[in-house]
Amino acid sequence: NLVYVSAFIKCRYPAAFACALLNSQPMGFYAPAQIVRDAREHGVDVYPVDVNESLWDNTLSAGTNGKTALRLGFRQVDGLTEDWCKELIENRRNGYDDVDSLAVRARLPQRALRLLADADCFRSIDIERRKALWAARRLPDTDPLPLFAAARERELAEEADAHLPPMPLSEHIAVDYQTVRLSLKGHPMACLRSIFQSEGVISCTEANNRDNGAWV
């Protein structure tokens, strides 16, 4: 009965099935990246962890064409604690505008801000991973006294733009796997495919398309 029910839910409600599996991790069987890849291959829109959208658990949300989508939760970010995320969610109100406002309202330690930035969780406020990490690292780790807080606020406002170079896609994918254990931006093999092709190594798709007996 359990197998039949699981197969029915996976067939009819793939987003809910994937969401439940992710929230049950660690399971010691399928990794999060495999669960998410399978869900996307079955038409499920999967949205990333985001400071303005995510909850602690993975959740269901409205997707395209009236379908149910999957929103990744903060539990996917290695190192984040549920208590930190509770403060972030409770103080979110109408959303955070930047890293500084999140730090002030949620009163998160710098480590939590760095983890969120490193996991690329600030995309909804148009701050990519490298800039968010730079912003998080320049914030104090503890609440300063009011006088020093005002001085620090002026100092941050006057600080020149660091003009950080954009992070290439291959690095984004690698860091995604390091921080969230999966990537919605691409598969690691996509970044290595040209190297393997230059050495004569064919892909699984090419192997499957070959005639029977042609592959040794």
Side-chain angles (χ1 to χ4, degrees):
N1 290 338
L2 180 59
V3 174
Y4 174 82
V5 171
S6 298
F8 178 85
I9 295 174
K10 186 180 187 306
C11 178
R12 299 296 183 89
Y13 306 99
F17 185 80
C19 185
L21 287 181
L22 289 172
N23 287 336
S24 299
Q25 294 285 323
M27 297 174 62
F29 198 54
Y30 291 115
Q34 293 172 297
I35 296 171
V36 169
R37 183 179 64 182
D38 180 76
R40 298 178 83 183
E41 288 176 350
H42 287 83
V44 177
D45 290 331
V46 182
Y47 302 135
V49 187
D50 190 272
V51 293
N52 283 324
E53 302 292 344
S54 293
L55 300 179
W56 171 250
D57 284 328
N58 299 281
T59 55
L60 301 178
S61 63
T64 57
N65 300 322
K67 294 182 179 180
T68 302
L70 170 62
R71 168 68 69 177
L72 299 180
F74 293 116
R75 63 159 53 236
Q76 296 301 134
V77 181
D78 285 342
L80 273 184
T81 70
E82 191 169 359
D83 288 338
W84 287 342
C85 296
K86 182 179 179 181
E87 291 296 320
L88 184 156
I89 294 165
E90 287 182 350
N91 292 281
R92 187 157 55 192
R93 298 193 289 273
N94 294 324
Y96 299 107
D97 297 323
D98 49 43
V99 179
D100 294 1
S101 66
L102 189 153
V104 171
R105 283 156 54 186
R107 292 181 173 273
L108 296 181
Q110 192 189 77
R111 170 168 169 74
L113 296 172
R114 292 202 307 267
L115 289 171
L116 289 168
D118 213 20
D120 209 12
C121 297
F122 290 91
R123 288 284 181 168
S124 64
I125 50 180
D126 199 27
I127 303 178
E128 61 94 26
R129 170 182 277 125
R130 186 168 280 170
K131 289 185 177 180
L133 192 56
W134 174 267
R137 287 184 178 277
R138 64 196 182 103
L139 292 172
D141 196 27
T142 56
D143 292 335
L145 295 173
L147 178 62
F148 295 103
R152 179 62 176 163
E153 188 173 327
R154 288 194 299 271
E155 179 184 338
L156 291 176
E158 295 171 358
E159 187 174 286
D161 192 331
H163 297 295
L164 299 173
M167 182 180 286
L169 178 61
S170 58
E171 289 187 28
H172 271 298
I173 294 174
V175 179
D176 282 345
Y177 273 88
Q178 291 170 355
T179 57
V180 193
R181 294 169 292 166
L182 60 93
S183 180
L184 302 178
K185 302 181 181 74
H187 192 278
M189 281 301 300
C191 305
L192 302 172
R193 181 66 62 202
S194 59
I195 298 175
F196 286 114
Q197 286 178 336
S198 67
E199 296 179 354
V201 179
I202 67 173
S203 67
C204 291
T205 301
E206 291 169 329
N208 290 332
N209 289 337
R210 286 197 173 191
D211 294 334
N212 292 335
W215 176 251
V216 179

